[in-house]
Amino acid sequence: FFPLSVLGNHVGPKKCHITGRMFPMEFRAASAIFGHMGMELDLADETEEDRASLATAIALHKQHRGLIHDGDSYRLETPEFLSAMGCVAADKSEALFSCALLDMYPTTRPPRLRFDGLDPAKHYRAKLVWPQQNPSLSQPSIIDATTLMENGTPFAGAALMEHGIQLPLIHPDTCLIYHLKAEN
């Protein structure tokens, strides 16, 4: 119930002190982007590659901080193996949504992610802005087919909310972040 402008999310160490689980930097950083992105780790314990990934995530957070802190936040209804949320600008011109796979997909085909809070009359260019490389386990994937990591693809707001977008086949502990920008 807290707005994202006061929510403190932190990037923790590779091994979680509570559960003992190990998480990749891409997942840890993506989990902290929606809120006040803080650090709760010793950078000296991280690899050079992980520090570079963290720097990219911090830049992404800074780029979208206004939207994250001032937009309307939404928790999306998902099956229990997914966690999805996002924020939408008050004028519905832009949105940022994350979808984290917490466990294996129970079926051979991943579900669709249905967005919320968009303007059904607008068209949005959807781009996958996190992670930095295509995380799909299948090639070609839905990410390739829709050029989500390049120029993105325009979708009707109504279609994104009613039908959603097909998720790619990915490993657990992968978080996808979509940026949606309204087009004329």
Side-chain angles (χ1 to χ4, degrees):
F1 59 85
F2 285 113
L4 298 179
S5 60
V6 299
L7 190 62
N9 295 343
H10 297 111
V11 180
K14 182 173 275 214
K15 183 176 182 181
C16 177
H17 66 282
I18 297 171
T19 64
R21 289 180 66 188
M22 304 282 277
F23 295 104
M25 177 57 77
E26 288 79 13
F27 188 75
R28 293 181 280 151
S31 300
I33 286 176
F34 286 83
H36 283 282
M37 186 178 189
M39 306 299 135
E40 213 169 303
L41 72 158
D42 185 346
L43 290 173
D45 292 340
E46 300 295 327
T47 66
E48 187 174 323
E49 183 180 309
D50 283 350
R51 287 193 302 269
S53 180
L54 179 58
T56 302
I58 291 168
L60 181 66
H61 172 76
K62 287 180 177 181
Q63 178 184 357
H64 297 289
R65 184 170 28 214
L67 173 61
I68 294 167
H69 291 179
D70 296 332
D72 297 324
S73 61
Y74 292 87
R75 295 268 177 207
L76 303 182
E77 189 173 324
T78 61
E80 62 185 38
F81 56 88
L82 290 174
S83 178
M85 51 111 27
C87 52
V88 180
D91 65 359
K92 313 282 190 204
S93 64
E94 185 179 18
L96 198 66
F97 283 91
S98 75
C99 180
L101 180 61
L102 307 174
D103 202 350
M104 297 293 293
Y105 292 125
T107 60
T108 56
R109 187 179 74 183
R112 293 175 171 268
L113 177 65
R114 288 175 180 79
F115 299 95
D116 202 358
L118 304 175
D119 182 338
K122 291 186 180 186
H123 281 76
Y124 294 88
R125 181 163 297 275
K127 288 182 74 172
L128 186 64
V129 295
W130 191 263
Q132 294 299 294
Q133 66 285 343
N134 187 338
S136 181
L137 300 175
S138 62
Q139 298 299 325
S141 72
I142 190 67
I143 294 170
D144 301 316
T146 55
T147 64
L148 286 176
M149 297 199 75
E150 296 160 24
N151 297 326
T153 299
F155 295 97
L160 288 169
M161 292 190 301
E162 187 175 329
H163 302 289
I165 192 166
Q166 179 68 51
L167 291 172
L169 183 62
I170 55 177
H171 284 298
D173 302 333
T174 299
C175 185
L176 308 172
I177 299 180
Y178 295 90
H179 180 248
L180 309 173
K181 183 83 172 164
E183 296 187 325
N184 294 340

